[in-house]
Amino acid sequence: MNRRMAGGTSAALVLALALSGCQKAETDSPAVALTDSLAAAGSAGKEWLSYGGTYDEQRHSRLKGINQDNVDQLGVAWTYALKTGRGVETTPIIHDGVMYATSAWSVVHALDAKTGAELWVYDPGVDRAVGVDACCDVVNRGVALHEGKIYVGVIDGRLEALDAKTGKVIWSKQTVDRSKPYTVTGAPRIVKGKVLIGNGGAELGVRGYLSAYDVNTGELVWRFFTVPNPELKPDGAASDPILAKLGNSSWGKTGRWTSDGGGGTVWDSIVYDEVNDQVVFGVGNGSPWNAMLRDPENKGDNLFLSSIVAVDADTGAYKWHFQTTPRDNWDYTATQTIILAELPLGQGGAPRRIVMQAPKNGFFYVLDAKTGAYISANNFVPQTWATGVDANGRPIETPEARPVNASYLHSPGPQGAHNWHPMAFNPDLGLAYIPAQELPQGYLPKPKPDPATKWNTGFAFEDGMPVDPLDPATLKAMKAMYKGRLIAWDPVKQEARWTVELPTPSNGGVLSTAAGIVYQGTVGGDLVGYDAATGKKLWSRNIKGGVIAPPVTYEIDGEQYLAVATGWGGAYGLAAGFLFDKAVPPSVGRVVAFKLGAKGEVPDPEVTPIDRTPQTARFGDAKMLQAGLVAYSRNCMVCHGPMAISSGVLPDLRWSPTTADADAWKAVVLEGQRASAGMVSFAKQMTPADAEAVRAYVVHQAHGPVAAKPAG
Ligand code: CA
């Protein structure tokens, strides 16, 4: 890759994206109560009992009913409509013949796992105004299960326990300060009688932590803050001793982190290491991203941003940490899939228990599980921000990476070389399967944070962006930069065994099975099975909806099922409309289940055609359009798409009839007329003149060459 941008593609640099998240499992008998020991180490079998399949979270099933010889006989057993057009990231849980899947706005669906028949639906009734605090769509990644209860993290910060049979709320706990822009999208985990949950919000300004609640009462048992409080004082939390010892001194006493919370949100990976009786979790990026605005004294690494941290499972007391990106500056979260495994990395090739992760920064890490000691790392995609790691695993940054040079194209960008889409690991073959991507981006530093915007990273994605709609040639050049791939990675040799190139980034999470098949869904709506050893495509089926969620597998009455949810959306899904020259796959929330010999069909999505006619004549002079571009990019772009081109998940403002009427526009943008649908008032962020300038800019885009044709 050319490290420096050619002048003609500077728009690409700026636009890129404005974003940058069981054993013993074989309980055949319904009478068996699900306990911690049942969810213990070992591969997933007939049931899928926890987010990653087992405590080790390898997403590897022991089932072999569907194998390389018969996979071509897979057919649709049933489908179930999740009744949402937003992103669906769920890992369904399967126990006692019931599937528990979540959809947008944290709604839980309980289904007959054999037929898809609906048993109950629980809607937590989230105030849609919460949606603007969600960096990356109002998604949810799944529930946890424990002794007759279902646990769900709700996007407004609640953690709730439901009756698994009825969906009735048993207890509900608010886990965050509702005056701050926290959101919860991750799946809770059950560890030794506690339910663990983190949160998100580092793009908008929060302080991250992981909490453990009593499974029965919902009482807080322990909490671990990942960054100090601004006074550098004890919180009365499990993190106090280690923050006093290591954390506080890694931050200055001034800067935006003291008001924005510093970030470090624990929004996805939380894994129980049963062997070492510890919880290993991934920590997110800094808040704001721009390290020189966040902590201008620049005296330390800003612990524990972008780190893998291990704590005692009972008390939350610190055990070890490994920081993947010291003093994060680029939204390089280390929240991605953490997998525990035994690899021949001990003395003389003896088995050694390790932690592996492929975080956003593009390095694949292998650490000792007991001590956190660095074992090895290597880059799994091309990088421009670092040339490698030193003997301790610390990245060797390129000179251009910091301070950020505005003309430099950083790879990975904030979407990461690997995002939340779950990675899997086949212990028989010793291969990890990474849903990887290349999404380079420029970072243009702001001299100071903009106090008014909600999305507040300390970088200006609007600066240098053209007011006029992009020409097709530039768009084509941009598209060519963005790549998706499925990589089979050997964590011992730290090299790729095989790679499948995919047409777009941000494809689905991965499932591995003992039959030697790896399954992944794609943005284009294909569910594909590959030979786990070679990457040869064995089977695929189009399921009429973009996939970002990971598949799961289970067995009922001797038949193996393969299930995955469709539902295009999430961070990339909201932002990437301008990259599609054909229709974006419709965002249809649906669970699709397959089994051998089934003959079902996936219903065609109901897509309402959009009238792509400008609703009013252009207005505004160059100055007004420029003001509109800036205000749009700071306040509207993350949901409605760069350049006012929506991906189709949320309304494409170019064709909105509201653009024709200044008063109607103002009522929506400034007066909250559609707050109940999630479009809150932006009166705190925009003046009436700003709002009118945004209208002029959006109308201007409607009159340009249509760069994308969203489907619905
Ligand atoms: Ca982030």
Side-chain angles (χ1 to χ4, degrees), residues 203 285 289 331 333 360:
E203 274 60 60
N285 55 277
W289 298 352
D331 192 16
T333 71
K360 274 190 183 178

Side-chain angles (χ1 to χ4, degrees), residues 407-428:
S407 67
Y408 192 69
L409 189 62
H410 289 254
S411 187
Q415 293 269 352
H418 170 216
N419 209 306
W420 65 270
H421 315 75
M423 173 173 90
F425 177 73
N426 182 321
D428 305 328

Side-chain angles (χ1 to χ4, degrees), residues 221-578:
V221 180
W222 56 256
R223 176 166 288 174
F224 189 97
F225 288 95
T226 59
V227 300
N229 66 45
E231 290 83 35
L232 303 176
K233 286 179 180 162
D235 295 292
S239 40
D240 284 353
I242 193 62
L243 288 176
K245 185 178 172 189
L246 289 179
N248 295 352
S249 60
S250 72
W251 294 79
K253 290 187 172 58
T254 60
R256 188 67 186 224
W257 81 275
T258 61
S259 58
D260 283 11
T265 48
V266 185
W267 57 266
D268 195 34
S269 202
I270 308 163
V271 177
Y272 178 53
D273 175 2
E274 197 181 29
V275 173
N276 295 301
D277 195 19
Q278 62 189 3
V279 174
V280 186
F281 59 93
V283 184
N285 55 277
S287 184
W289 298 352
N290 186 333
M292 287 310 291
L293 293 184
R294 186 174 70 236
D295 172 29
E297 294 171 34
N298 192 12
K299 287 176 184 157
D301 289 340
N302 291 174
L303 295 172
F304 293 98
L305 296 182
S306 303
S307 299
I308 301 169
V309 178
V311 299
D312 182 90
D314 295 309
T315 65
Y318 170 91
K319 292 184 78 168
W320 56 258
H321 81 278
F322 178 85
Q323 191 173 36
T324 62
T325 307
R327 203 173 153 78
D328 168 53
N329 196 49
W330 310 276
D331 192 16
Y332 286 168
T333 71
T335 54
Q336 281 61 38
T337 319
I338 292 172
I339 292 178
L340 300 165
E342 318 287 332
L343 291 178
L345 288 166
Q347 288 278 337
R352 185 172 181 182
R353 187 160 174 81
I354 60 94
V355 170
M356 65 181 109
Q357 189 192 47
K360 274 190 183 178
N361 76 13
F363 287 108
F364 191 103
Y365 294 91
V366 178
L367 311 175
D368 185 276
K370 187 176 175 61
T371 65
Y374 168 75
I375 297 174
S376 65
N378 198 7
N379 61 303
F380 59 93
V381 296
Q383 292 166 326
T384 64
W385 78 282
T387 56
V389 296
D390 69 14
N392 300 313
R394 189 183 177 95
I396 304 162
E397 295 178 10
T398 53
E400 296 90 344
R402 180 162 20 205
V404 173
N405 178 335
S407 67
Y408 192 69
L409 189 62
H410 289 254
S411 187
Q415 293 269 352
H418 170 216
N419 209 306
W420 65 270
H421 315 75
M423 173 173 90
F425 177 73
N426 182 321
D428 305 328
L429 297 172
L431 292 176
Y433 303 95
I434 316 166
Q437 56 192 12
E438 286 186 49
L439 279 156
Q441 180 162 320
Y443 295 74
L444 308 177
K446 284 187 179 178
K448 59 184 174 54
D450 182 337
T453 47
K454 289 175 81 70
W455 181 271
N456 209 339
T457 63
F459 291 104
F461 296 104
E462 70 277 12
D463 287 358
M465 201 183 268
V467 166
D468 294 328
L470 285 189
D471 60 275
T474 304
L475 270 175
K476 194 176 171 192
M478 290 169 67
K479 278 189 60 172
M481 292 198 310
Y482 303 134
K483 297 165 186 166
R485 57 181 66 112
L486 176 61
I487 302 174
W489 190 260
D490 182 334
V492 174
K493 292 182 177 167
Q494 286 284 12
E495 63 184 27
R497 181 77 59 84
W498 53 259
T499 298
V500 172
E501 299 292 336
L502 297 165
T504 73
S506 196
N507 296 285
V510 183
L511 167 70
S512 165
T513 75
I517 306 179
V518 171
Y519 297 96
Q520 184 190 31
T522 70
V523 170
D526 293 322
L527 182 59
V528 187
Y530 301 96
D531 184 320
T534 67
K536 182 187 169 209
K537 189 189 278 192
L538 301 171
W539 168 82
S540 84
R541 170 80 182 250
N542 190 275
I543 50 177
K544 304 179 185 176
V547 180
I548 49 178
V552 295
T553 190
Y554 56 96
E555 184 182 308
I556 298 177
D557 296 340
E559 288 185 301
Q560 186 182 349
Y561 292 76
L562 172 71
V564 71
T566 61
W568 169 239
Y572 181 79
L574 291 182
F578 67 100

